[in-house]
C-alpha cells in the first residue's frame, strides 16, 4: 500500500506535467507561424545563406517557445505542492526555492538571449551575464546542499583519498558550467535544425537518465529535472518542426541560451552536473577543435558556416586563408598536432599562403565525408549527438561501476 | 544592548544595499550613452515628435537600467542572509522564497516589456502576460501569508462586521494590481521625462513610507521593500538624467512595465498593496479620464500625445474629431457628465462634427493652463504626482486613524 502510494506521489505530478507539455506543444506549434510577420516587421530576420532564394527568414523565434515554456512552468508551479497546499502543513520551502531559482535563471537567460539577438551584444557580456544569472542558483545550492565533496575514482584514491572537498572551486565549476552550456550550443550552429536537433537529443538523454534514476534514492532531484525537461522538449519540438530544413524560422541565440541554461539548471539543482556534461561530448569536441580560432591563434573569419554551392546545391567546407608567417610558435605547434592527426585540411602554396578549413565540427564532417546536402549534414550531426549520448550512458553506468563502488 | 543589536540588524543590510545602489547609478549613467548606437543600429529608435529636429532617439533604454537593477539585486541576494549563512543554522527559506519570487516576476516583466518594444505586442498579450508573471508571487503570498482578511472601516462595520475575508477575490485583486500598475504608468506617458519622473515620485513615496514603518512591528516587510526601492531609484535616476528634456534616450514600455511590476511586487509581498495604490492617484485619474477612449466609447486616434507647435515651440492639446451621430447613448451620457463638470473641451459645428480633446491627464493640464513648453508641462505633471503623494500620506495616516482604530 505504502509503496503504491509513493509511486503515485512520484509519477502523478510528472503525468500532469506531461499533459501540460503536450498542450504547450500545440500552442507553440501554432503560435510560431502566426508571429512570423511580427518578427520580420521588427527587423528580426536573416537571409538563409545556404539556399537559392533570398527570402527573409524571421530570427530569434526561440523567444516564443521560451515564453510558452516559462508560462507552462508558471502554471505548473502549484502542482508539486498541491499536497501541502490542501493539508496546509509543513510547506517545503526549500523545494519551492529550487523551483523559483531555476525559473529565475532561465528567465534571465531568455532575456539575455533575446537582447543578444536584437542588440548584438559583445563577447564580454556573453560571458559575464550567464555567470550573474546563475548566482541565485548557486545560492540555492549553498543553502540547500552545500555539498562540495566529490568521490575520487578508485585508481586515484591512493593519492587523493576517498573523497576531495573542492569548496569554492566547486561553485566556480558550477558557475562556469552555466557559461559553457549556454555558449557551447551556440557555437555548434549554422545549418538548418542543428541547434534544436542537438538540444533535443541532450534533453531526451537527460530525460532517459532521470527516468532510470527515478526509482533510486535521489528520485526527488530527478523528478524536479523532469518537470523542466518535458515542457522543454515539447516546446522545442514545436520549434524543430518549423526550423527543420528548409527553415521557415531561425531559432536565434535566444534558443541556445535558454537551452544551455535549462540543462545547467537541472544538472546543478538535480546534483548530476557531471552526467549533464557527459551529454555535451560533441559540444566539448567542437569547442576544443575551435579553440585555435576562438582564441585567435589562427585567423578566424566572421562566419565559419559551410559554403553553399549553387550548382550542386551541396554544402562544402568553408576555409580561412592566411599567411603562414602570421602564426606564432604556439599556433604552429597546435596546428602541427592537428595536421599530424589529419583532422584539418591544410594547403600551402609557394608564397606561404595557407588555406585551412574553419575549425568546427560541421566543417570536420564535411572534410571526412565530402560535400553533401544540408539536411544530410544536419542528420549526420544529430546522429553523432545520439551516438555520443549512448557513449555517455556507457561511461555513466558500466564504466562508473568499475571506477566507483556503486 | 538588545535594541541596538536589532537596529543594526535592520539597518545594516539596507546600508549595504544603498552603497550598491550608488554604484549601480554610476554604472547605469555611464552605460546608457555608450549603448545608444547599439540600439539605433538595431532599429530601436524613435523620432521625437515634439522637437524641431528629427534625430533618431534610441528607444527602450529601460532594458539597460532594468538589467543593472537586476544585477545589483542578484549580487545583493546573499547579504540579508549572511547571518544565517555564517552560522549555518535555520536558514529562513520563507524569506528567500519572497526574494526569488519578486525577482522572477520583475525579470519576466523586463523580458515582456522589451519584447513589446521590439515586437509591438497586441493588447491581449499586455493584459495576459503580467497576470501570468505575477503567479509565482501569488503562490508565495499563499504559502507564506494567505491572509485575505481585510479590516472594515468603522462607519461600515455595522453592516459588514469588523473584518471581511475576501478569499479568492483578494488573489484576483492582487493579480489585477500587477496588470494595473504596469499599464497605468504606460498610458500616462508621451512627454520627455514623464515616465521616469512619475515613477521616481512613486518610488520615493514608497521609500518614505517604508522608512516610517521600519520602526513598527512589520519592519521585515518594509526592509524587504527598501531592498528593491533603493536600487530601483538609483538606476531610474540614471535613466532620468538622459531622458529629461531634451531626451537623448527614450525609456520604452520596458521601463514602464519594470516599474509597475516592481511597485506591485513590493506592495504585495510587503502587505501594503492598498497604500501602494494610494500613490497611483494621478495614474488612476488618468485611467478613469481615459476610459471613454480606451474602451472606444469615443473614437481614439492612434496617438494622443500633445501637438507640437513649431512656431511657438509650445505644446497644445491634441484633439479627436468625429461625428456626433457616431456616439451611442452610453458615450453621450458619459461625455455629458464630462461636459457638465467642464473637464473636456467640446466643440460642435452645424454639421454635427465634434472636436474634443484627447482624454489624457496631459491634455487636461494643457486644457486648464493653456499651451506651454514641454519641460514646463512635465514639471507640472510631476508636481501633481508629488501633491498626490502628500495627499496619499494624509489619507494613510491622519485619516486612517479616524476610520480604523490604529
Amino acid at each position: 500500500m505504502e509503496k503504491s502510494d509513493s509511486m503515485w506521489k512520484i509519477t502523478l505530478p510528472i503525468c500532469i506535467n506531461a499533459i501540460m507539455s503536450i498542450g504547450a506543444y500545440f500552442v507553440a506549434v501554432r503560435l510560431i507561424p502566426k508571429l512570423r510577420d511580427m518578427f520580420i516587421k521588427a527587423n528580426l530576420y536573416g537571409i538563409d545563406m545556404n539556399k537559392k532564394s533570398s527570402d527573409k527568414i524571421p530570427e530569434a523565434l526561440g523567444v516564443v517557445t521560451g515564453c510558452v515554456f516559462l508560462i507552462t512552468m508558471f502554471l505548473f508551479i502549484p502542482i508539486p505542492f498541491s499536497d501541502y497546499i490542501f493539508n496546509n502543513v509543513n510547506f517545503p520551502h526549500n523545494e519551492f526555492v529550487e523551483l523559483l531559482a531555476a525559473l529565475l535563471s532561465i528567465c534571465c537567460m531568455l532575456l539575455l538571449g533575446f537582447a543578444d539577438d536584437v542588440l548584438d551584444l559583445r563577447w564580454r557580456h556573453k560571458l559575464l551575464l550567464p555567470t550573474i544569472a546563475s548566482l541565485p542558483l548557486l545560492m540555492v545550492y549553498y543553502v540547500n546542499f552545500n555539498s562540495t565533496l566529490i568521490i575520487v575514482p578508485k585508481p586515484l584514491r591512493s593519492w587523493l583519498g576517498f573523497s576531495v572537498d573542492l569548496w569554492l572551486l566547486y561553485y566556480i565549476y558550477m558557475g562556469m558550467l552555466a557559461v559553457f552550456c549556454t555558449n557551447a550550443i551556440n557555437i555548434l550552429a549554422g545549418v538548418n535544425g542543428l541547434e534544436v536537433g542537438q538540444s533535443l537529443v541532450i534533453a531526451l538523454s537527460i530525460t532517459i537518465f532521470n527516468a532510470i534514476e527515478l526509482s533510486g534514492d535521489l528520485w526527488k532531484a530527478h523528478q524536479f529535472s523532469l518537470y523542466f525537461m518535458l515542457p522543454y522538449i515539447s516546446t522545442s519540438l514545436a520549434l524543430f518542426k518549423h526550423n527543420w530544413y528548409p527553415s521557415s524560422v531561425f531559432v536565434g541565440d535566444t534558443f541556445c541560451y535558454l537551452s544551455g541554461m535549462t540543462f545547467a539548471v537541472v544538472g546543478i539543482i538535480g546534483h548530476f552536473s557531471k552526467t549533464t556534461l557527459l551529454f555535451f561530448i560533441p559540444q566539448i569536441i567542437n569547442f576544443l577543435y575551435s579553440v585555435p580560432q576562438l582564441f585567435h591563434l589562427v585567423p578566424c573569419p566572421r562566419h565559419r558556416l559551410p559554403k553553399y554551392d549553387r550548382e550542386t546545391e551541396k554544402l562544402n567546407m568553408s576555409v580561412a586563408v592566411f599567411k603562414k608567417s602570421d602564426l606564432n610558435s604556439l599556433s604552429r605547434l597546435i596546428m602541427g598536432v592537428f595536421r599530424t592527426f589529419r583532422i584539418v585540411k591544410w594547403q600551402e602554396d609557394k608564397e606561404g599562403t595557407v588555406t585551412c578549413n574553419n575549425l568546427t565540427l560541421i566543417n570536420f564532417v564535411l572534410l571526412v565525408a565530402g560535400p553533401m546536402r544540408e539536411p544530410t549534414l544536419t542528420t549526420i550531426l544529430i546522429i553523432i549527438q545520439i551516438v555520443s549520448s549512448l557513449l555517455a550512458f556507457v561511461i555513466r553506468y558500466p564504466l562508473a561501476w568499475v571506477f566507483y563502488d556503486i
Side-chain angles (χ1 to χ4, degrees), chain A residues 172-314:
Chain A
I172 295 175
Y173 153 72
M174 284 191 293
M176 285 175 65
L177 184 73
V179 179
F180 173 76
C181 289
T182 49
N183 287 295
I185 296 173
N186 207 15
I187 61 171
L188 183 51
V191 287
N192 287 183
L194 182 58
E195 294 95 328
V196 195
Q198 63 180 307
S199 303
L200 275 172
V201 175
I202 296 172
L204 284 168
S205 308
I206 294 178
T207 304
I208 293 167
F209 173 66
N210 292 147
I212 295 170
E213 294 291 321
L214 211 52
S215 56
D217 289 340
L218 300 172
W219 60 270
K220 252 202 146 69
H222 296 279
Q223 188 193 36
F224 175 88
S225 171
L226 284 172
Y227 293 161
F228 284 83
M229 282 302 117
L230 299 185
Y232 172 80
I233 289 173
S234 72
T235 50
S236 300
L237 261 180
L239 193 55
F240 192 58
K241 200 180 160 210
H242 296 284
N243 181 239
W244 181 250
Y245 180 90
S247 294
S248 66
V249 303
F250 289 147
V251 300
D253 291 349
T254 318
F255 177 77
C256 302
Y257 286 13
L258 166 80
S259 305
M261 196 48 134
T262 307
F263 300 145
V265 156
V266 297
I268 290 172
I269 300 278
H271 299 273
F272 56 85
S273 59
K274 281 163 285 170
T275 309
T276 305
L277 266 186
L278 276 182
F279 296 129
F280 274 78
I281 294 172
Q283 284 72 23
I284 294 171
I285 292 171
N286 182 53
F287 173 72
L288 293 176
Y289 190 52
S290 295
V291 159
Q293 285 195 318
L294 289 184
F295 293 93
H296 291 281
L297 296 171
V298 171
C300 180
R302 188 158 154 62
H303 288 290
R304 305 194 297 165
L305 300 177
K307 224 173 63 195
Y308 179 62
D309 185 335
R310 282 175 177 274
E311 302 279 302
T312 59
E313 296 192 24
K314 286 184 176 177

Side-chain angles (χ1 to χ4, degrees), chain A residues 370-384:
Chain A
M372 60 183 83
R373 289 186 62 242
E374 191 173 2
T376 319
L377 179 58
T378 314
T379 308
I380 290 177
L381 285 159
I382 291 177
I383 290 171
I384 291 175

Side-chain angles (χ1 to χ4, degrees), chain A residues 352-379:
Chain A
T353 304
V354 176
T355 307
C356 172
N357 66 296
N358 282 314
L359 302 169
T360 67
L361 189 59
I362 301 174
N363 282 315
F364 182 73
V365 169
L366 292 170
L367 169 70
V368 173
M372 60 183 83
R373 289 186 62 242
E374 191 173 2
T376 319
L377 179 58
T378 314
T379 308

Side-chain angles (χ1 to χ4, degrees), chain A residues 50-70:
Chain A
N50 298 335
K51 301 288 178 300
K52 277 189 172 169
S53 82
S54 54
D55 293 342
K56 292 178 180 176
I57 313 281
E59 175 70 277
L61 262 288
V63 76
V64 176
T65 56
C67 283
V68 175
F69 170 50
L70 273 184

